[in-house]
Amino acid sequence: MVYVSPSNIPANFPTFHDSLNSSSHNRAFLSLRLTVSVLLRRESEDDQIDLEMASFVRITVLIWADILAAYAMWVMVTYLTNVWKLNFVHAAGIINICGGIALIMPIGFAFLVDTVMGDYAMLLLSSIAYSIGLSFLAMSTPPVLSKSTGTCSAYRPECIGDTQRVLFYTALALIAVGISGHLVSLESFLNESQMEDDDGGKTPWKIGGIFGVVLVPIIGGIALPYIKPWSIRFGIPAIFSLVATLLFASGSNAYEFKGPQGSPLTTVVRVFVASASKIFHQCPEDANELYERRDIVQPVPHTRGLRCLDKAATILPPPQTQEEQEKNRWRLCSVTEVEETKIGIRMVPMWLTFIICGVVLSIGNTYFLEQANHMNRKVGHLKVPLPIFLMFYEFAKSEFSKIYFNLAKCLGRSGSKRYAPPIGIAVAMVFSVLCCITAAKVETRRLNVIRSHDLVDKPDKRIPMSIFWLLPQFLLLGTLHGICEKSIVDFFKDQAPPSMRRYLVFFSNGVFGLGSMASVLSVYIVGKFSERKGNLNWFQDTLNRSRLDNYYWTLAVLSTVNLVFYILVGNVLQL
């Protein structure tokens, strides 16, 4: 919307002003001109506010659609075990690999946003992929295409043909793309459209958006699970996502786009390429002989470690002059660029300590959920839906993240704020151990109830044990996630160069994604190890015959060892 200033008043106003000679007439005209100018400005500002409100709503509905889809997708493992009749380990593997990829891809997507696409293009394309993926997921359920494919329409494994399988796995890939794109661009794009009143308060549209973020989980966590047909349960988020995408796309002309700004990952790649191109050249002993740009405001001082990368800043002898070498940024990098790359490499050992946290987090919507799937859900006459555990999980994650934030503020006032992130990470790892121990003890009790009621060979029978026995481990898992996620980002804010800070959240989620994928490998290794000396594999065809409690004890030991490793790495890095 064009801003209307006094200079935009129609040209007949000056002519009219010149025809008036008296000072009173001049004052009257000036008053008239000012009044018209204010009215036009007010109209322009109101139009601009209406435009911003419309943009805010269009972007916010994408968040609502994401939340609703998350609640529908969270119980995917029960769909695979109940309808497809997959082994629970196989089902969990599919979910964990898909979830891990969705958390790793944002690193590459962020690079594309910063170098090629921009946030708007990424958000639009990922929303389209998300909508198509959810639609394919709904179409992959047996009743939808049964007439076209010649299969039966019941929710049984024999009713799932090759077409349904192709649609299902294609849907998972597209949904992973949609999730990754939204993780990268949705928040940043929304921040660009944020509005505040003149007094700094939140606008009614923002309050409505927050209200929707609270209301949609209630719908997704309580109302959606009571819908029995899976085609409708997946179809509602698909329709919601499609409408949100169309609504978002309809405002394309109203958004303020920011083009690609360049990515710091390009600098890292340039350093490796430049150092590799000079592999047979010697680094100068004197660091002052290395190349440094004069226009850098805060240069990073040179360090003696990882000397092989210093070759990227080595100025080659003639025939090429220094000026000629400076023109090729893929052959000559500055000391600051090299040192920022070194900082990233030195953080890798610390990143590795968070993979086990990702392994533990991956069991929440897989093994925990499959345990709850066959336990007693009734509270009186009310049947409790499984996604209610996601609500408790998110509550614990949010509240303990706030507790960590308050702790960091208290330490900040005492001048010890730098110790808050390392302490937070250690505390999160302790919660990881406690979560695994709690889960192991609850699973041992569940197996005892199964044996006492002769349900070992009756996997589809309901176990007379309340699902709320699982609530403590879901709360501990949410606590682990809330503290770990926040403290990791804060930790690397203090360690990473400013240019890399945008990527901290993506790297943190990427490590959790690696942990999610590593959980598949851990189950395989632990299962093979448990078969030694002729023993039964801890992971059998049914949950009732398996020994998940032993797997949880194994994760508790691994989490303890990981905590010790984290402390050792922290001491080496002198945190």
Side-chain angles (χ1 to χ4, degrees):
M1 183 64 65
V2 178
Y3 177 74
V4 181
S5 66
S7 61
N8 299 127
I9 300 297
N12 64 323
F13 269 95
T15 305
F16 179 58
H17 177 264
D18 292 339
S19 66
L20 298 176
N21 296 318
S22 67
S23 60
S24 61
H25 285 165
N26 287 340
R27 286 195 298 270
F29 171 76
L30 183 60
S31 177
L32 175 63
R33 181 184 175 93
L34 183 60
T35 301
V36 172
S37 174
V38 170
L39 288 174
L40 289 173
R41 186 185 296 119
R42 173 68 66 180
E43 181 181 359
S44 174
E45 290 174 350
D46 289 344
D47 289 344
Q48 181 67 23
I49 290 173
D50 290 340
L51 190 62
E52 291 175 348
M53 286 178 177
S55 300
F56 180 79
V57 170
R58 289 188 183 101
I59 302 170
T60 304
V61 292
L62 289 177
I63 299 176
W64 298 350
D66 284 1
I67 295 172
L68 194 62
Y71 275 88
M73 293 286 294
W74 196 70
V75 293
M76 178 65 73
V77 70
T78 62
Y79 170 72
L80 293 175
T81 55
N82 292 348
V83 179
W84 286 43
K85 297 300 181 183
L86 293 183
N87 177 290
F88 74 96
V89 175
H90 185 186
I94 292 173
I95 301 303
N96 286 333
I97 289 175
C98 178
I101 292 173
L103 291 175
I104 293 172
M105 281 197 299
I107 299 173
F109 281 11
F111 177 78
L112 289 177
V113 166
D114 289 342
T115 57
V116 180
M117 302 175 65
D119 282 319
Y120 171 74
M122 176 59 72
L123 195 52
L124 180 61
L125 293 176
S126 60
S127 297
I128 293 172
Y130 211 163
S131 300
I132 296 174
L134 290 171
S135 300
F136 281 4
L137 182 62
M139 292 168 63
S140 71
T141 55
V144 178
L145 297 177
S146 58
K147 293 182 180 179
S148 302
T149 58
T151 55
C152 52
S153 59
Y155 289 104
R156 296 197 303 266
E158 59 268 21
C159 298
I160 300 171
D162 292 338
T163 302
Q164 283 87 348
R165 287 187 173 87
V166 170
L167 282 173
F168 177 79
Y169 288 112
T170 304
L172 290 187
L174 290 172
I175 289 170
V177 170
I179 292 171
S180 300
H182 282 199
L183 285 174
V184 171
S185 296
L186 185 54
E187 183 179 358
S188 59
F189 197 77
L190 180 62
N191 289 338
E192 294 173 13
S193 67
Q194 280 187 349
M195 301 178 306
E196 290 189 355
D197 293 331
D198 293 337
D199 59 357
K202 294 185 181 296
T203 67
W205 289 92
K206 269 194 174 183
I207 296 172
I210 296 171
F211 178 74
V213 170
V214 174
L215 182 62
V216 172
I218 296 174
I219 297 172
I222 298 176
L224 199 61
Y226 284 107
I227 300 173
K228 295 294 183 182
W230 285 97
S231 56
I232 299 177
R233 195 185 294 189
F234 291 146
I236 290 175
I239 294 171
F240 205 115
S241 179
L242 180 60
V243 171
T245 300
L246 292 174
L247 193 60
F248 171 73
S250 69
S252 298
N253 294 329
Y255 304 133
E256 294 182 2
F257 299 163
K258 279 188 177 179
Q261 305 294 313
S263 172
L265 295 184
T266 305
T267 301
V268 175
V269 176
R270 286 197 299 104
V271 169
F272 279 107
V273 171
S275 58
S277 67
K278 303 172 186 176
I279 191 170
F280 298 110
H281 293 82
Q282 293 293 327
C283 290
E285 290 297 326
D286 187 1
N288 293 324
E289 296 180 15
L290 296 173
Y291 171 70
E292 181 61 287
R293 289 168 54 187
R294 299 183 183 88
D295 58 345
I296 296 179
V297 179
Q298 292 181 328
V300 180
H302 177 262
T303 57
R304 299 292 296 179
L306 298 172
R307 288 276 291 164
C308 59
L309 294 181
D310 287 344
K311 293 182 179 182
T314 301
I315 302 172
L316 298 179
Q320 277 194 328
T321 64
Q322 179 176 332
E323 289 74 17
E324 291 174 333
Q325 295 179 50
E326 287 176 357
K327 294 177 181 178
N328 189 350
R329 301 184 65 195
W330 290 88
R331 294 274 295 173
L332 184 63
C333 303
S334 67
V335 171
T336 295
E337 291 171 334
V338 171
E339 291 302 320
E340 288 181 348
T341 303
K342 288 181 182 180
I343 291 172
I345 294 174
R346 292 188 185 109
M347 290 191 293
V348 170
M350 184 60 72
W351 285 115
L352 295 178
T353 64
F354 307 137
I355 292 179
I356 294 296
C357 293
V359 173
V360 175
L361 287 172
S362 71
I363 62 180
N365 66 330
T366 51
Y367 299 117
F368 286 2
L369 202 59
E370 186 59 21
Q371 289 172 267
N373 188 32
H374 298 289
M375 295 172 71
N376 180 20
R377 298 193 213 171
K378 289 190 175 181
V379 178
H381 296 289
L382 180 66
K383 188 176 181 180
V384 178
L386 289 180
I388 197 170
F389 282 121
L390 180 56
M391 299 179 72
F392 284 117
Y393 175 93
E394 291 293 340
F395 172 79
K397 178 182 174 181
S398 174
E399 291 304 311
F400 277 89
S401 179
K402 292 176 184 176
I403 291 173
Y404 164 79
F405 179 75
N406 292 331
L407 170 65
K409 284 179 64 177
C410 292
L411 290 176
R413 285 194 291 267
S414 64
S416 305
K417 187 177 180 179
R418 64 183 296 267
Y419 297 110
I423 293 172
I425 294 171
V427 170
M429 291 182 176
V430 171
F431 275 108
S432 175
V433 176
L434 294 176
C435 177
C436 294
I437 293 174
T438 303
K441 288 185 172 294
V442 171
E443 175 62 6
T444 301
R445 188 183 191 283
R446 193 187 72 88
L447 292 174
N448 290 335
V449 172
I450 288 171
R451 296 188 191 101
S452 63
H453 289 80
D454 195 23
L455 297 174
V456 174
D457 295 317
K458 301 173 183 177
D460 294 329
K461 292 289 184 180
R462 190 70 60 188
I463 301 169
M465 178 178 173
S466 173
I467 61 170
F468 285 103
W469 278 92
L470 301 173
L471 181 59
Q473 62 202 61
F474 273 105
L475 292 175
L476 289 169
L477 199 66
T479 302
L480 155 67
H481 197 177
I483 297 177
C484 195
E485 187 176 61
K486 180 67 177 173
S487 53
I488 287 175
V489 172
D490 286 352
F491 171 77
F492 286 109
K493 275 184 181 177
D494 296 335
Q495 305 291 326
S499 61
M500 295 289 292
R501 286 176 184 171
R502 165 175 159 78
Y503 286 79
L504 294 179
V505 175
F506 306 138
F507 279 121
S508 299
N509 288 334
V511 171
F512 291 151
L514 281 176
S516 181
M517 299 176 72
S519 69
V520 180
L521 181 62
S522 73
V523 167
Y524 176 78
I525 294 174
V526 169
K528 288 296 182 182
F529 184 82
S530 65
E531 289 178 341
R532 296 196 325 169
K533 299 180 181 179
N535 294 322
L536 285 176
N537 193 308
W538 289 347
F539 301 96
Q540 295 295 308
D541 291 336
T542 66
L543 201 61
N544 291 358
R545 284 193 165 274
S546 300
R547 293 301 306 269
L548 272 184
D549 55 337
N550 290 341
Y551 178 60
Y552 293 153
W553 281 116
T554 303
L555 289 182
V557 172
L558 287 175
S559 297
T560 304
V561 172
N562 186 59
L563 175 59
V564 174
F565 179 62
Y566 165 75
I567 295 172
L568 292 176
V569 172
N571 285 333
V572 171
L573 296 178
Q574 297 180 348
L575 300 180

